[in-house]
């Protein structure tokens, strides 16, 4: 019996150590999860999703639009050469936008981790610097400018949706009973009036059954719906940047308040240390006078 007691005590101690170790891991995980900037994480996911939809769908839709114009509205290459150059420039811009916002989203997420740590540890050894506050203010200004730019992109992306919607409704009108009262050949879509191709482009417009065949092509159907998705992606990016702007402004305000509280705490601590040293010096002088 006496030989079993040490073994039981050892087993109990090992179980206690295991419980403490598991509890320590749990506390560490909870602490790590508590330091995650969830608002910045949600904004980053929304931003990445919106930019991916806009860039991917917009790139494919532009290619489909050029193919449709070459096959049905402008058979001479010189008539739509300018349009091809513009589309290529827009596609290169899309590449740049995708690369830039991939990096910018990661940087803003990292800045969210930094400001979250600074706010949670404002009274500990963690110190915010003037450079850190200036960087946060710079991100606020840059995100505001990018938000305005994406508002313009959102409005610009709605233009092809409007043009394709007009063409879609015209094709739908040809199938309605009212269209049977008149000649179907009189129902036309002229893309020259939108400034997409010059007025001397041949044929420049599609009427009747030719228009119906165009509406049934995969290029038109796919491009129309991709433009809608690209416009929705631009809108999601605008919402993400507004979300970012609110987060950055709040974090900058908290960071500024934390810095002010730290300075006030340091001033009070310095004053207390000075008073303590003064009292100690006076007490030493009193002891020396008595001796």
């Amino acid at each position: 019996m006496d030989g079993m007691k040490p073994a039981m005590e050892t087993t109990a101690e090992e179980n206690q150590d295991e419980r403490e170790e598991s509890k320590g891991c749990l506390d560490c995980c909870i602490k790590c999860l508590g330091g995650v900037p969830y608002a910045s994480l949600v904004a980053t996911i929304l931003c990445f999703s919106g930019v991916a939809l806009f860039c991917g769908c917009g790139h494919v839709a532009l290619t489909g639009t050029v193919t449709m114009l070459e096959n049905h509205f402008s058979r001479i290459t010189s008539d739509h050469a300018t349009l091809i150059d513009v589309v290529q420039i827009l596609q290169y811009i899309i590449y740049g936008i995708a690369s830039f916002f991939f990096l910018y989203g990661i940087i803003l997420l990292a800045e969210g981790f930094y400001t979250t740590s600074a706010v949670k540890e404002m009274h500990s050894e963690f110190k915010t610097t003037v450079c850190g506050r200036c960087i946060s203010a710079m991100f606020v200004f840059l995100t505001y400018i990018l938000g305005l730019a994406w508002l313009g992109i959102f409005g610009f992306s709605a233009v092809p949706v409007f043009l394709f919607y007009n063409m879609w409704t015209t094709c739908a009108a040809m199938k309605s009973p009212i269209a049977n009262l008149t000649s179907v050949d009189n129902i036309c879509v002229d893309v020259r009036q939108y400034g997409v191709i010059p007025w001397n482009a041949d044929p420049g417009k599609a009427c009747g059954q030719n228009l119906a065949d165009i509406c049934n092509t995969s290029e038109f159907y796919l491009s129309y719906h991709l433009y809608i998705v690209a416009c929705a992606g631009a809108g999601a990016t605008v919402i993400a940047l507004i979300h970012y702007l609110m987060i950055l402004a709040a974090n900058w305000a908290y960071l500024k308040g934390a810095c002010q509280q730290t300075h006030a705490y340091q001033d009070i601590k310095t004053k207390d240390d000075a008073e303590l040293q003064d009292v100690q010096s006076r007490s030493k002088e009193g002891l020396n006078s008595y001796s």
Side-chain angles (χ1 to χ4, degrees), residues 4-263:
M4 296 180 61
K5 278 188 177 181
M8 294 176 63
E9 290 177 357
T10 304
T11 305
E13 290 177 357
E14 290 178 355
N15 293 333
Q16 185 177 0
D17 292 338
E18 291 178 357
R19 286 195 297 268
E20 289 179 355
E21 184 178 356
S22 62
K23 184 178 179 182
C25 293
L26 181 61
D27 292 339
C28 182
C29 292
I30 293 174
K31 185 177 180 181
C32 291
L33 292 176
V36 175
Y38 292 101
S40 297
L41 185 62
V42 171
T44 301
I45 295 173
L46 184 61
C47 182
F48 282 173
S49 301
V51 173
L53 288 176
F54 173 79
C55 294
C57 296
H59 186 277
V60 178
L62 288 172
T63 304
T65 301
V66 172
T67 302
M68 187 179 65
L69 287 173
E70 289 177 344
N71 293 336
H72 303 286
F73 293 99
S74 180
R75 297 187 177 91
I76 301 175
T77 306
S78 59
D79 291 339
H80 57 269
T82 304
L83 177 64
I84 293 176
D85 294 337
V86 172
V87 168
Q88 288 179 349
I89 292 172
L90 291 176
Q91 288 178 339
Y92 285 127
I93 292 174
I94 285 174
Y95 299 148
I97 289 174
S99 303
F100 173 78
F101 272 89
F102 176 75
L103 295 176
Y104 191 68
I106 293 176
I107 291 172
L108 288 184
L109 183 61
E111 201 271 344
F113 275 101
Y114 165 75
T115 51
T116 301
S117 300
V119 171
K120 288 180 180 291
E121 302 179 14
M122 64 177 63
H123 294 301
S124 65
E125 296 179 356
F126 189 93
K127 294 182 180 179
T128 60
T129 62
V130 177
C131 181
R133 297 195 302 274
C134 290
I135 292 175
S136 297
M138 182 193 69
F139 281 134
V140 172
F141 176 75
L142 183 58
T143 304
Y144 177 77
I145 298 299
L146 291 175
L148 293 179
W150 270 98
L151 280 175
I153 294 174
F154 176 68
F156 178 76
S157 62
V159 174
V161 175
F162 173 74
L163 299 181
F164 273 77
Y165 175 75
N166 287 340
M167 191 171 177
W168 181 276
T169 54
T170 303
C171 293
M174 295 175 60
K175 300 177 183 179
S176 64
I178 300 177
N180 296 328
L181 301 178
T182 60
S183 177
V184 178
D185 294 333
N186 293 330
I187 301 176
C188 302
V189 170
D190 192 348
V191 298
R192 295 174 296 182
Q193 63 183 340
Y194 301 118
V196 178
I197 55 177
W199 281 102
N200 58 355
D202 182 47
K205 65 178 181 179
C207 303
Q209 187 60 39
N210 291 331
L211 178 60
D213 293 338
I214 293 172
C215 292
N216 292 328
T217 58
S218 60
E219 291 86 3
F220 174 79
Y221 184 83
L222 183 63
S223 297
Y224 176 45
H225 290 85
L226 286 178
Y227 276 126
I228 295 175
V229 177
C231 185
T237 307
V238 172
I239 296 174
L241 290 174
I242 294 174
H243 196 179
Y244 268 134
L245 189 61
M246 292 187 295
I247 295 168
L248 290 170
N251 287 340
W252 181 80
Y254 285 135
L255 203 62
K256 184 179 179 181
C259 182
Q260 291 176 351
Q261 291 182 14
T262 303
H263 288 166

